[in-house]
Coordinates of all heavy atoms in Angstrom, one line a residue:
M1 N 43.1 1.2 -7.8 CA 42.5 0.0 -7.3 C 41.0 0.2 -7.0 O 40.6 1.1 -6.4 CB 43.3 -0.4 -6.0 CG 42.8 -1.7 -5.5 SD 43.8 -2.1 -4.0 CE 43.2 -3.7 -3.7
E2 N 40.2 -0.7 -7.5 CA 38.8 -0.6 -7.3 C 38.3 -1.4 -6.2 O 38.9 -2.4 -5.8 CB 38.0 -0.9 -8.6 CG 38.4 -2.3 -9.2 CD 37.7 -2.5 -10.5 OE1 36.5 -2.6 -10.5 OE2 38.4 -2.5 -11.5
S3 N 37.3 -0.9 -5.5 CA 36.7 -1.6 -4.4 C 35.4 -2.3 -4.7 O 34.6 -1.8 -5.4 CB 36.4 -0.6 -3.3 OG 35.8 -1.2 -2.2
F4 N 35.3 -3.6 -4.3 CA 34.2 -4.4 -4.6 C 33.1 -4.3 -3.5 O 32.0 -4.8 -3.7 CB 34.6 -5.8 -4.9 CG 35.5 -6.0 -6.0 CD1 36.8 -6.4 -5.8 CD2 35.2 -5.7 -7.3 CE1 37.7 -6.6 -6.8 CE2 36.1 -5.8 -8.4 CZ 37.3 -6.3 -8.1
L5 N 33.5 -3.7 -2.4 CA 32.6 -3.7 -1.3 C 31.2 -3.0 -1.6 O 30.2 -3.6 -1.2 CB 33.3 -3.0 -0.1 CG 32.5 -2.9 1.2 CD1 32.2 -4.4 1.7 CD2 33.2 -2.1 2.3
P6 N 31.2 -1.9 -2.3 CA 29.9 -1.3 -2.5 C 29.0 -2.2 -3.4 O 27.8 -2.3 -3.2 CB 30.2 0.0 -3.3 CG 31.5 0.4 -2.9 CD 32.2 -0.9 -2.6
V7 N 29.6 -2.9 -4.3 CA 28.8 -3.8 -5.2 C 28.2 -5.0 -4.3 O 27.0 -5.3 -4.4 CB 29.6 -4.4 -6.3 CG1 28.9 -5.4 -7.2 CG2 30.2 -3.3 -7.2
W8 N 29.1 -5.5 -3.4 CA 28.6 -6.6 -2.5 C 27.5 -6.0 -1.6 O 26.5 -6.7 -1.4 CB 29.7 -7.1 -1.7 CG 30.6 -8.1 -2.4 CD1 31.8 -8.0 -2.9 CD2 30.2 -9.5 -2.8 NE1 32.3 -9.1 -3.6 CE2 31.3 -10.0 -3.5 CE3 29.0 -10.2 -2.6 CZ2 31.2 -11.3 -4.0 CZ3 29.0 -11.5 -3.1 CH2 30.1 -12.0 -3.8
L9 N 27.7 -4.8 -1.0 CA 26.7 -4.3 -0.2 C 25.4 -4.0 -0.9 O 24.3 -4.3 -0.3 CB 27.2 -3.0 0.5 CG 28.2 -3.1 1.6 CD1 28.7 -1.8 2.0 CD2 27.7 -3.9 2.8
A10 N 25.4 -3.5 -2.1 CA 24.2 -3.3 -2.9 C 23.4 -4.6 -3.1 O 22.2 -4.5 -3.3 CB 24.5 -2.6 -4.2
M11 N 24.1 -5.7 -3.2 CA 23.5 -7.0 -3.4 C 23.0 -7.6 -2.1 O 21.9 -8.3 -2.1 CB 24.4 -7.9 -4.2 CG 24.6 -7.5 -5.6 SD 25.5 -8.7 -6.6 CE 27.0 -8.9 -5.8
L12 N 23.8 -7.5 -1.1 CA 23.5 -8.2 0.1 C 22.6 -7.5 1.2 O 21.9 -8.2 1.9 CB 24.8 -8.6 0.8 CG 25.6 -9.7 0.0 CD1 26.9 -10.0 0.8 CD2 24.8 -10.9 -0.2
L13 N 22.6 -6.2 1.2 CA 21.8 -5.5 2.2 C 20.3 -5.7 2.0 O 19.6 -5.9 3.0 CB 22.1 -4.0 2.1 CG 23.3 -3.5 3.0 CD1 23.6 -2.1 2.8 CD2 23.0 -3.8 4.4
P14 N 19.7 -5.8 0.8 CA 18.3 -6.2 0.7 C 18.0 -7.6 1.2 O 16.9 -7.8 1.8 CB 18.0 -6.1 -0.8 CG 19.0 -5.1 -1.3 CD 20.3 -5.4 -0.5
V15 N 19.0 -8.5 1.1 CA 18.8 -9.9 1.6 C 18.8 -9.8 3.2 O 17.9 -10.4 3.8 CB 19.9 -10.8 1.1 CG1 19.8 -12.2 1.8 CG2 19.8 -10.9 -0.4
V16 N 19.7 -9.0 3.7 CA 19.7 -8.8 5.2 C 18.4 -8.2 5.7 O 17.9 -8.5 6.7 CB 20.9 -8.0 5.6 CG1 20.9 -7.6 7.0 CG2 22.2 -8.7 5.3
A17 N 17.9 -7.2 4.9 CA 16.6 -6.5 5.3 C 15.5 -7.5 5.3 O 14.6 -7.5 6.2 CB 16.3 -5.4 4.3
S18 N 15.5 -8.4 4.3 CA 14.4 -9.4 4.2 C 14.5 -10.4 5.4 O 13.4 -10.7 6.0 CB 14.5 -10.2 3.0 OG 14.3 -9.4 1.8
A19 N 15.7 -10.8 5.8 CA 15.8 -11.6 7.0 C 15.4 -10.9 8.2 O 14.8 -11.5 9.1 CB 17.3 -12.1 7.1
G20 N 15.8 -9.6 8.3 CA 15.4 -8.8 9.5 C 13.9 -8.7 9.6 O 13.3 -8.6 10.7
N21 N 13.2 -8.6 8.4 CA 11.7 -8.5 8.5 C 11.1 -9.8 9.0 O 10.1 -9.7 9.7 CB 11.2 -8.2 7.1 CG 11.2 -6.8 6.7 OD1 11.3 -5.9 7.5 ND2 11.3 -6.5 5.4
L22 N 11.7 -10.9 8.7 CA 11.2 -12.1 9.3 C 11.5 -12.2 10.8 O 10.7 -12.7 11.6 CB 11.9 -13.3 8.6 CG 11.4 -13.5 7.1 CD1 12.2 -14.6 6.5 CD2 10.0 -13.8 7.0
V23 N 12.7 -11.8 11.2 CA 13.1 -11.9 12.6 C 12.3 -10.9 13.5 O 11.8 -11.3 14.6 CB 14.6 -11.6 12.8 CG1 15.0 -11.4 14.2 CG2 15.4 -12.6 12.1
F24 N 12.1 -9.7 13.0 CA 11.3 -8.7 13.7 C 9.9 -8.6 13.3 O 9.3 -7.5 13.3 CB 12.0 -7.3 13.6 CG 13.4 -7.3 14.0 CD1 14.4 -6.8 13.1 CD2 13.8 -7.7 15.2 CE1 15.7 -6.8 13.5 CE2 15.1 -7.7 15.6 CZ 16.1 -7.2 14.8
A25 N 9.3 -9.7 12.9 CA 7.9 -9.6 12.4 C 6.9 -9.1 13.3 O 5.9 -8.4 13.0 CB 7.5 -11.0 11.9
K26 N 7.1 -9.4 14.6 CA 6.0 -9.0 15.6 C 6.3 -7.7 16.3 O 5.5 -7.2 17.1 CB 5.9 -10.1 16.7 CG 5.4 -11.4 16.1 CD 5.2 -12.4 17.2 CE 4.9 -13.8 16.7 NZ 3.6 -14.1 16.2
Q27 N 7.5 -7.1 16.0 CA 7.8 -5.8 16.5 C 7.9 -4.8 15.4 O 8.9 -4.6 14.7 CB 9.2 -5.9 17.2 CG 9.2 -6.9 18.3 CD 10.6 -7.3 18.7 OE1 11.5 -7.2 18.0 NE2 10.7 -7.8 20.0
A28 N 6.8 -4.1 15.2 CA 6.6 -3.2 14.0 C 7.6 -2.1 13.9 O 8.2 -1.8 12.9 CB 5.2 -2.7 14.0
N29 N 7.8 -1.4 15.0 CA 8.7 -0.2 15.0 C 10.2 -0.7 14.7 O 10.9 0.0 14.0 CB 8.6 0.5 16.3 CG 7.4 1.3 16.4 OD1 6.7 1.6 15.4 ND2 6.9 1.6 17.7
L30 N 10.6 -1.7 15.4 CA 11.9 -2.3 15.2 C 12.1 -2.8 13.7 O 13.1 -2.5 13.1 CB 12.2 -3.4 16.2 CG 13.7 -3.9 16.3 CD1 14.6 -2.8 16.6 CD2 13.8 -5.0 17.3
R31 N 11.1 -3.4 13.2 CA 11.2 -4.0 11.9 C 11.3 -2.8 10.9 O 12.1 -2.8 10.0 CB 9.9 -4.8 11.6 CG 9.8 -5.4 10.2 CD 8.5 -6.0 9.9 NE 7.5 -5.0 10.0 CZ 6.3 -5.1 10.6 NH1 6.0 -6.3 11.2 NH2 5.4 -4.2 10.6
D32 N 10.4 -1.8 11.0 CA 10.4 -0.7 10.1 C 11.7 0.1 10.2 O 12.3 0.6 9.2 CB 9.2 0.3 10.4 CG 7.9 -0.4 10.0 OD1 8.0 -1.4 9.3 OD2 6.9 0.1 10.4
G33 N 12.2 0.3 11.4 CA 13.5 1.0 11.6 C 14.7 0.3 10.9 O 15.5 0.9 10.3
F34 N 14.7 -1.0 11.1 CA 15.7 -1.9 10.5 C 15.6 -1.8 9.0 O 16.7 -1.7 8.3 CB 15.6 -3.3 11.0 CG 16.7 -4.2 10.6 CD1 18.0 -4.1 11.1 CD2 16.5 -5.2 9.6 CE1 19.0 -4.9 10.7 CE2 17.5 -6.0 9.2 CZ 18.8 -5.9 9.7
T35 N 14.4 -1.9 8.5 CA 14.2 -1.9 7.0 C 14.7 -0.5 6.5 O 15.3 -0.5 5.4 CB 12.8 -2.1 6.7 OG1 12.4 -3.4 7.2 CG2 12.5 -2.1 5.2
L36 N 14.4 0.6 7.2 CA 14.8 1.9 6.7 C 16.3 2.0 6.7 O 16.9 2.6 5.8 CB 14.2 3.0 7.6 CG 14.5 4.4 7.2 CD1 14.1 4.7 5.8 CD2 13.9 5.4 8.2
L37 N 17.0 1.5 7.8 CA 18.4 1.6 7.8 C 19.1 0.8 6.7 O 20.0 1.2 6.1 CB 18.9 1.0 9.2 CG 18.8 2.0 10.4 CD1 19.2 1.3 11.6 CD2 19.6 3.2 10.1
C38 N 18.5 -0.4 6.4 CA 19.0 -1.2 5.3 C 18.8 -0.5 4.0 O 19.7 -0.6 3.1 CB 18.4 -2.6 5.3 SG 19.0 -3.7 6.6
A39 N 17.6 0.1 3.8 CA 17.4 0.8 2.6 C 18.3 2.0 2.4 O 18.8 2.3 1.3 CB 15.9 1.3 2.5
L40 N 18.6 2.7 3.4 CA 19.5 3.9 3.3 C 20.9 3.4 3.1 O 21.7 4.0 2.3 CB 19.5 4.7 4.6 CG 18.2 5.5 4.8 CD1 18.2 6.2 6.2 CD2 18.0 6.5 3.7
G41 N 21.3 2.2 3.7 CA 22.6 1.6 3.4 C 22.7 1.2 2.0 O 23.8 1.4 1.3
T42 N 21.7 0.6 1.4 CA 21.7 0.2 0.0 C 21.8 1.4 -0.9 O 22.5 1.4 -1.9 CB 20.4 -0.6 -0.3 OG1 20.3 -1.7 0.6 CG2 20.5 -1.1 -1.7
F43 N 21.1 2.5 -0.5 CA 21.2 3.7 -1.3 C 22.6 4.2 -1.3 O 23.1 4.6 -2.4 CB 20.2 4.7 -0.8 CG 20.1 6.0 -1.6 CD1 19.5 6.0 -2.8 CD2 20.6 7.2 -1.1 CE1 19.5 7.2 -3.6 CE2 20.5 8.3 -1.8 CZ 20.0 8.3 -3.1
G44 N 23.2 4.2 -0.2 CA 24.6 4.7 -0.1 C 25.6 3.8 -0.9 O 26.5 4.3 -1.5
A45 N 25.3 2.5 -0.8 CA 26.2 1.6 -1.6 C 26.0 1.8 -3.1 O 27.0 1.8 -3.9 CB 25.8 0.1 -1.3
V46 N 24.8 2.1 -3.6 CA 24.5 2.3 -5.0 C 25.2 3.6 -5.4 O 25.7 3.8 -6.5 CB 23.0 2.3 -5.3 CG1 22.7 2.8 -6.7 CG2 22.5 0.9 -5.1
L47 N 25.1 4.6 -4.5 CA 25.8 5.9 -4.8 C 27.3 5.7 -4.9 O 28.0 6.3 -5.7 CB 25.5 7.0 -3.8 CG 24.1 7.6 -3.8 CD1 23.9 8.6 -2.7 CD2 23.9 8.2 -5.2
A48 N 27.9 4.8 -4.0 CA 29.3 4.6 -4.1 C 29.7 3.8 -5.4 O 30.7 4.1 -6.0 CB 29.7 3.7 -2.9
V49 N 28.8 2.9 -5.8 CA 29.0 2.3 -7.1 C 28.9 3.3 -8.3 O 29.7 3.3 -9.2 CB 28.0 1.1 -7.4 CG1 28.1 0.6 -8.8 CG2 28.2 0.0 -6.3
L50 N 28.0 4.3 -8.1 CA 27.9 5.3 -9.1 C 29.2 6.2 -9.2 O 29.6 6.5 -10.3 CB 26.7 6.2 -8.8 CG 26.5 7.4 -9.7 CD1 26.2 7.0 -11.1 CD2 25.4 8.3 -9.2
G51 N 29.8 6.4 -8.0 CA 31.0 7.2 -8.0 C 32.1 6.4 -8.7 O 33.0 7.0 -9.4
Q52 N 32.1 5.1 -8.6 CA 33.2 4.3 -9.3 C 32.9 4.3 -10.8 O 33.8 4.4 -11.6 CB 33.2 2.9 -8.8 CG 33.7 2.7 -7.4 CD 33.7 1.3 -6.9 OE1 33.1 0.4 -7.5 NE2 34.3 1.0 -5.8
A53 N 31.6 4.1 -11.1 CA 31.3 4.1 -12.6 C 31.5 5.4 -13.2 O 31.8 5.5 -14.4 CB 29.8 3.6 -12.7
G54 N 31.3 6.5 -12.4 CA 31.5 7.9 -13.0 C 33.0 8.1 -13.3 O 33.3 9.0 -14.0
N55 N 33.9 7.4 -12.6 CA 35.3 7.6 -12.9 C 35.8 6.6 -13.9 O 37.0 6.2 -13.9 CB 36.1 7.3 -11.6 CG 35.8 8.4 -10.6 OD1 35.5 9.6 -10.9 ND2 35.9 8.1 -9.3
S56 N 34.9 6.2 -14.8 CA 35.2 5.3 -15.9 C 35.7 3.9 -15.5 O 36.5 3.2 -16.2 CB 36.2 5.9 -16.9 OG 37.5 6.0 -16.4
I57 N 35.4 3.5 -14.2 CA 35.7 2.2 -13.7 C 34.4 1.4 -13.8 O 33.4 1.8 -13.4 CB 36.2 2.2 -12.3 CG1 37.5 3.0 -12.2 CG2 36.4 0.8 -11.7 CD1 37.9 3.3 -10.7
T58 N 34.5 0.2 -14.4 CA 33.3 -0.7 -14.5 C 33.4 -1.7 -13.4 O 34.2 -2.7 -13.5 CB 33.2 -1.3 -15.8 OG1 33.2 -0.3 -16.8 CG2 32.0 -2.2 -15.9
P59 N 32.8 -1.5 -12.2 CA 32.9 -2.5 -11.1 C 32.2 -3.8 -11.6 O 31.2 -3.8 -12.2 CB 32.0 -1.8 -10.0 CG 31.9 -0.4 -10.4 CD 32.0 -0.3 -11.8
S60 N 32.9 -4.9 -11.2 CA 32.4 -6.2 -11.5 C 32.8 -7.1 -10.4 O 33.8 -6.9 -9.7 CB 32.8 -6.7 -12.8 OG 34.2 -6.8 -12.8
V61 N 32.0 -8.1 -10.1 CA 32.3 -9.1 -9.1 C 32.1 -10.5 -9.7 O 31.0 -10.8 -10.2 CB 31.3 -8.9 -7.9 CG1 31.5 -10.0 -6.9 CG2 31.5 -7.6 -7.2
A62 N 33.1 -11.3 -9.7 CA 33.0 -12.7 -10.1 C 32.8 -13.6 -8.9 O 33.6 -13.6 -8.0 CB 34.2 -13.1 -10.9
L63 N 31.7 -14.3 -8.9 CA 31.4 -15.1 -7.8 C 32.2 -16.4 -7.8 O 32.9 -16.8 -6.9 CB 29.9 -15.4 -7.7 CG 28.9 -14.2 -7.5 CD1 27.5 -14.7 -7.5 CD2 29.3 -13.5 -6.3
F64 N 32.1 -17.1 -8.9 CA 32.8 -18.4 -9.1 C 32.8 -18.8 -10.5 O 32.0 -18.2 -11.3 CB 32.3 -19.5 -8.2 CG 30.8 -19.8 -8.4 CD1 30.5 -20.8 -9.3 CD2 29.8 -19.2 -7.7 CE1 29.1 -21.1 -9.6 CE2 28.5 -19.5 -7.9 CZ 28.1 -20.4 -8.8
E65 N 33.5 -19.8 -10.9 CA 33.5 -20.3 -12.3 C 32.8 -21.6 -12.4 O 33.2 -22.5 -11.7 CB 35.0 -20.4 -12.9 CG 35.6 -19.1 -13.2 CD 36.8 -19.2 -14.0 OE1 37.0 -20.3 -14.7 OE2 37.6 -18.3 -14.1
M66 N 31.8 -21.7 -13.2 CA 31.1 -23.0 -13.4 C 32.0 -23.9 -14.1 O 32.2 -25.1 -13.7 CB 29.9 -22.8 -14.3 CG 28.8 -21.9 -13.6 SD 27.8 -22.9 -12.5 CE 27.0 -24.0 -13.5
F67 N 32.6 -23.5 -15.2 CA 33.6 -24.2 -16.0 C 34.8 -23.3 -16.3 O 34.6 -22.0 -16.2 CB 33.0 -24.7 -17.3 CG 31.8 -25.6 -17.1 CD1 30.5 -25.2 -17.3 CD2 32.0 -26.9 -16.7 CE1 29.4 -26.0 -17.1 CE2 30.9 -27.8 -16.4 CZ 29.6 -27.3 -16.7
P68 N 35.9 -23.8 -16.7 CA 37.0 -22.8 -17.0 C 36.6 -21.9 -18.1 O 36.1 -22.3 -19.2 CB 38.1 -23.8 -17.5 CG 37.8 -25.1 -16.9 CD 36.3 -25.2 -16.8
G69 N 36.7 -20.6 -17.8 CA 36.3 -19.6 -18.8 C 34.9 -19.2 -18.8 O 34.4 -18.4 -19.6
L70 N 34.1 -19.7 -17.9 CA 32.6 -19.4 -17.8 C 32.3 -19.0 -16.3 O 31.8 -19.8 -15.5 CB 31.8 -20.6 -18.2 CG 30.3 -20.4 -18.2 CD1 29.9 -19.4 -19.2 CD2 29.6 -21.7 -18.5
P71 N 32.6 -17.7 -16.0 CA 32.4 -17.3 -14.6 C 30.9 -16.8 -14.4 O 30.2 -16.4 -15.4 CB 33.3 -16.1 -14.5 CG 33.4 -15.5 -15.9 CD 33.3 -16.7 -16.8
I72 N 30.4 -17.0 -13.2 CA 29.2 -16.3 -12.8 C 29.6 -15.0 -12.2 O 30.2 -14.9 -11.1 CB 28.5 -17.2 -11.7 CG1 28.2 -18.6 -12.3 CG2 27.2 -16.5 -11.3 CD1 27.3 -18.6 -13.5
A73 N 29.3 -13.9 -12.9 CA 29.8 -12.6 -12.5 C 28.7 -11.5 -12.7 O 27.7 -11.7 -13.4 CB 31.0 -12.2 -13.3
F74 N 28.9 -10.4 -11.9 CA 28.0 -9.3 -12.1 C 28.8 -8.1 -12.6 O 29.9 -7.8 -12.0 CB 27.4 -8.9 -10.7 CG 26.4 -9.9 -10.2 CD1 26.8 -10.9 -9.2 CD2 25.1 -10.0 -10.6 CE1 26.0 -11.8 -8.8 CE2 24.3 -11.0 -10.2 CZ 24.7 -11.9 -9.2
H75 N 28.4 -7.5 -13.6 CA 29.0 -6.3 -14.2 C 28.1 -5.1 -14.1 O 26.9 -5.2 -14.5 CB 29.5 -6.5 -15.6 CG 30.4 -7.6 -15.8 ND1 31.8 -7.5 -15.6 CD2 30.2 -8.9 -16.2 CE1 32.4 -8.6 -15.8 NE2 31.5 -9.5 -16.1
V76 N 28.5 -4.0 -13.6 CA 27.7 -2.8 -13.5 C 27.6 -2.1 -14.9 O 28.7 -1.8 -15.5 CB 28.2 -1.8 -12.4 CG1 27.4 -0.6 -12.4 CG2 28.3 -2.5 -11.1
E77 N 26.4 -1.9 -15.3 CA 26.2 -1.1 -16.6 C 25.4 0.1 -16.3 O 24.6 0.2 -15.3 CB 25.4 -2.0 -17.6 CG 26.3 -3.2 -18.0 CD 25.6 -4.0 -19.1 OE1 24.6 -3.5 -19.7 OE2 26.1 -5.1 -19.4
P78 N 25.5 1.2 -17.1 CA 24.9 2.4 -16.8 C 23.4 2.3 -16.7 O 22.8 2.9 -15.8 CB 25.3 3.3 -18.0 CG 26.5 2.7 -18.5 CD 26.4 1.3 -18.3
L79 N 22.7 1.6 -17.5 CA 21.2 1.5 -17.5 C 20.8 0.8 -16.2 O 19.8 1.1 -15.5 CB 20.7 0.8 -18.7 CG 19.2 0.8 -18.8 CD1 18.6 2.2 -18.9 CD2 18.8 0.1 -20.1
G80 N 21.5 -0.3 -15.8 CA 21.2 -1.0 -14.6 C 21.4 -0.2 -13.4 O 20.7 -0.2 -12.4
L81 N 22.5 0.7 -13.4 CA 22.8 1.6 -12.3 C 21.7 2.6 -12.2 O 21.3 3.0 -11.1 CB 24.2 2.2 -12.5 CG 24.7 3.0 -11.4 CD1 24.8 2.1 -10.1 CD2 26.1 3.5 -11.7
T82 N 21.2 3.1 -13.3 CA 20.1 4.1 -13.3 C 18.9 3.5 -12.7 O 18.2 4.1 -11.8 CB 19.8 4.6 -14.7 OG1 21.0 5.2 -15.3 CG2 18.7 5.6 -14.7
F83 N 18.5 2.2 -13.1 CA 17.4 1.6 -12.5 C 17.6 1.4 -11.0 O 16.6 1.6 -10.2 CB 17.2 0.2 -13.2 CG 16.1 -0.6 -12.6 CD1 14.8 -0.3 -12.8 CD2 16.4 -1.7 -11.7 CE1 13.8 -1.0 -12.2 CE2 15.4 -2.4 -11.1 CZ 14.1 -2.1 -11.4
A84 N 18.8 1.0 -10.6 CA 19.0 0.8 -9.1 C 18.8 2.0 -8.4 O 18.2 2.0 -7.3 CB 20.4 0.2 -8.9
L85 N 19.3 3.2 -8.9 CA 19.2 4.4 -8.2 C 17.7 4.8 -8.1 O 17.3 5.3 -7.0 CB 19.9 5.5 -8.9 CG 21.4 5.6 -8.6 CD1 22.1 6.6 -9.5 CD2 21.6 6.0 -7.2
I86 N 17.0 4.7 -9.1 CA 15.5 5.0 -9.1 C 14.8 4.1 -8.2 O 14.0 4.6 -7.3 CB 14.9 5.0 -10.5 CG1 15.5 6.1 -11.4 CG2 13.4 5.1 -10.5 CD1 15.2 6.1 -12.8
A87 N 15.0 2.8 -8.2 CA 14.3 1.9 -7.4 C 14.6 2.1 -5.9 O 13.6 2.1 -5.1 CB 14.7 0.4 -7.8
I88 N 15.8 2.2 -5.6 CA 16.1 2.3 -4.1 C 15.7 3.7 -3.6 O 15.3 3.8 -2.4 CB 17.6 2.1 -3.8 CG1 17.8 1.8 -2.3 CG2 18.5 3.2 -4.3 CD1 17.1 0.7 -1.8
S89 N 15.7 4.7 -4.4 CA 15.2 6.0 -3.9 C 13.7 6.0 -3.7 O 13.2 6.6 -2.8 CB 15.6 7.2 -4.9 OG 15.0 7.0 -6.1
L90 N 13.0 5.2 -4.6 CA 11.5 5.1 -4.4 C 11.2 4.3 -3.1 O 10.2 4.6 -2.4 CB 10.9 4.5 -5.6 CG 10.8 5.3 -6.9 CD1 10.3 4.5 -8.0 CD2 10.0 6.6 -6.6
I91 N 12.0 3.3 -2.8 CA 11.8 2.5 -1.6 C 12.0 3.4 -0.4 O 11.2 3.4 0.6 CB 12.7 1.3 -1.6 CG1 12.3 0.3 -2.6 CG2 12.8 0.7 -0.2 CD1 13.2 -0.9 -2.7
D92 N 13.0 4.3 -0.4 CA 13.3 5.2 0.7 C 12.1 6.2 0.9 O 11.7 6.4 2.0 CB 14.6 5.9 0.5 CG 15.8 5.1 0.7 OD1 15.7 4.0 1.4 OD2 16.9 5.4 0.3
I93 N 11.7 6.7 -0.2 CA 10.6 7.7 -0.2 C 9.3 7.0 0.3 O 8.6 7.5 1.2 CB 10.3 8.4 -1.6 CG1 11.5 9.3 -1.9 CG2 9.1 9.2 -1.6 CD1 11.5 9.8 -3.3
D94 N 9.0 5.9 -0.2 CA 7.8 5.1 0.1 C 7.8 4.7 1.6 O 6.8 4.7 2.3 CB 7.6 3.9 -0.7 CG 6.4 3.1 -0.4 OD1 5.3 3.7 -0.3 OD2 6.5 1.9 -0.2
H95 N 9.0 4.4 2.1 CA 9.1 4.0 3.5 C 8.8 5.1 4.5 O 8.3 4.9 5.6 CB 10.4 3.4 3.8 CG 10.5 2.6 5.1 ND1 10.7 3.2 6.2 CD2 10.4 1.3 5.3 CE1 10.7 2.3 7.2 NE2 10.5 1.1 6.7
Q96 N 9.2 6.3 4.1 CA 9.0 7.5 5.0 C 7.6 8.0 5.0 O 7.2 8.8 5.9 CB 10.0 8.6 4.6 CG 11.4 8.1 4.8 CD 12.4 9.2 4.3 OE1 12.0 10.2 3.8 NE2 13.7 8.9 4.5
I97 N 6.8 7.7 4.0 CA 5.4 8.2 3.9 C 4.5 7.5 4.8 O 4.6 6.4 5.1 CB 4.9 8.1 2.4 CG1 5.7 9.1 1.6 CG2 3.4 8.4 2.4 CD1 5.3 9.1 0.1

């Protein structure tokens, strides 16, 4: 049985971080700490998706169907997963500098 939670977290944590940046705009340390926690959580979620994809499971999430047989869905592909790993690791490194 495959878990869709890491895919959802990898998509939603950056949105939560953006909202947190708006909420904590005037408190620099709190804003930066919250952003770092969200970035590390996203990195962990992407690593969890990598673990699923490494076991020959292709995680996918179907949001809804526009018309019968035409779903709005996200499918994890190896090249996209490689890009996600590189991008989120650069965000973590850049945030710590």
Side-chain angles (χ1 to χ4, degrees):
M1 181 177 189
E2 51 186 295
S3 172
F4 301 113
L5 183 63
V7 177
W8 280 108
L9 285 175
M11 290 189 298
L12 293 178
L13 275 174
V15 174
V16 171
S18 298
N21 279 336
L22 293 174
V23 171
F24 303 126
K26 296 188 191 277
Q27 301 163 334
N29 288 336
L30 188 58
R31 179 188 65 226
D32 291 344
F34 185 74
T35 303
L36 180 61
L37 284 177
C38 287
L40 291 174
T42 305
F43 184 70
V46 171
L47 285 178
V49 172
L50 176 65
Q52 290 178 350
N55 291 332
S56 71
I57 297 172
T58 305
S60 62
V61 174
L63 299 178
F64 58 91
E65 285 194 21
M66 294 279 295
F67 300 105
L70 183 63
I72 302 298
F74 294 98
H75 299 278
V76 176
E77 296 188 9
L79 188 58
L81 189 56
T82 303
F83 175 77
L85 279 172
I86 292 171
I88 195 62
S89 64
L90 289 176
I91 288 173
D92 287 341
I93 291 170
D94 180 48
H95 194 277
Q96 294 176 1
I97 293 178

